[in-house]
Amino acid sequence: MVRRSIAVCLLYALAVIGSALSSPAGNRIVGGQLAEDAQMPYQIALFYEDKFRCGGSIIGARHVLTAAHCVLDGDKVLDAARFSVHAGSVDLNAGGRRYEVEEVIPHEQYGFFQHDIALLQMRGRFRFDEHIRPIELMNKELPVGSPVVISGYGRVADDKPSSPVLLYTTMFVVEDTVCSDIAANLICIDRPGNYGACNGDSGGPAVHAGKLVGVANFIIDRCGGDHPDGYAKVSFYLDWIRKIQQSHP
């Protein structure tokens, strides 16, 4: 479909993102604000070969939900042993803990922006406290107009570096044929003005009423542009997620 050609995965060149972590960034995800400690204890940062790669959400004692394209290189599943997860601090350069990844499980039907979701199984269990805590999964669809909070460590604009601190903003569920035609089972979110996800926010959460409703999949044209962002709809994938969790306890 022609519309797919304007979709862009949020993952950005790892060398650029990795080198940007030591640089201060603006106070926004794109149009967002700084998160406070323990505000989003489910949020993680995913590293590959010690370079920041994506976001994700803690959904169990040993499980993280992220995007499939975060754990793949083309059709090849990347080596789980080279991944690690930062949790427990909104600052990637201070505090928190690093956890090793034992296995990465992308959705078996992922491709062409379809089913862009993956589960990470950690080598050990998360140590839950006020700074590290799982988030409940949404089991129903949200009506148009519902607010969702998105967060991440990605770039703060197309021409800006990624952020070493967690940023967030509020968006809204919208009806949009450009977004929904790219892939089924998406939540399309938008907000008037320069707001939204950007490169590096892939796999990160969209949250409504304390429940995880979406996983960041793609943007269209540019960060914070005129088109909505596409998030995998968590409620659609509940059976898949629970099946993987049960088979990988």
Side-chain angles (χ1 to χ4, degrees), residues 45-204:
L46 182 62
F47 286 76
Y48 185 71
E49 296 182 334
D50 213 32
K51 294 177 182 177
F52 172 67
R53 187 172 179 88
C54 281
S57 303
I58 298 170
I59 62 169
R62 293 186 66 198
H63 297 108
V64 165
L65 197 62
T66 188
H69 74 261
C70 290
V71 301
L72 294 168
D73 181 10
D75 294 332
K76 178 185 176 183
V77 180
L78 294 171
D79 184 3
R82 299 185 182 186
F83 282 104
S84 63
V85 164
H86 167 96
S89 171
V90 297
D91 191 335
L92 296 182
N93 297 320
R97 305 187 188 104
R98 280 289 187 98
Y99 292 86
E100 295 179 346
V101 177
E102 182 172 275
E103 189 172 357
V104 295
I105 307 122
H107 196 286
E108 59 276 5
Q109 296 179 7
Y110 167 70
F112 299 103
F113 303 101
Q114 308 287 326
H115 308 297
D116 192 0
I117 196 165
L119 208 66
L120 310 179
Q121 178 174 303
M122 310 311 296
R123 189 169 298 280
R125 299 172 70 87
F126 287 110
R127 293 166 54 189
F128 291 152
D129 55 27
E130 65 175 328
H131 297 280
I132 300 178
R133 192 173 301 161
I135 187 169
E136 186 177 348
L137 304 181
M138 179 63 77
N139 61 3
K140 61 182 180 181
E141 297 214 16
L142 291 182
V144 170
S146 299
V148 295
V149 175
I150 64 170
S151 52
Y153 297 95
R155 298 176 72 175
V156 298
D158 286 306
D159 58 347
K160 301 293 183 180
S162 59
S163 174
V165 291
L166 184 62
L167 307 174
Y168 73 97
T169 194
T170 299
M171 306 284 283
F172 299 90
V173 178
V174 297
E175 262 187 74
D176 184 88
T177 54
V178 174
C179 175
S180 60
D181 282 354
I182 290 170
N185 314 317
L186 287 173
I187 292 178
C188 303
I189 61 173
D190 203 358
R191 176 180 172 182
N194 186 29
Y195 297 93
C198 200
N199 308 101
D201 290 321
S202 286

Side-chain angles (χ1 to χ4, degrees), residues 1 5 12 26 34 37 63 82 136 144 147 203 223 227 247:
M1 178 173 287
S5 66
Y12 189 67
L34 293 170
D37 276 337
H63 297 108
R82 299 185 182 186
E136 186 177 348
V144 170
C223 304
H227 298 287
S247 62

Side-chain angles (χ1 to χ4, degrees), residues 198-218:
C198 200
N199 308 101
D201 290 321
S202 286
V207 174
H208 175 80
K211 296 183 180 181
L212 185 65
V213 300
V215 174
N217 280 184
F218 61 81

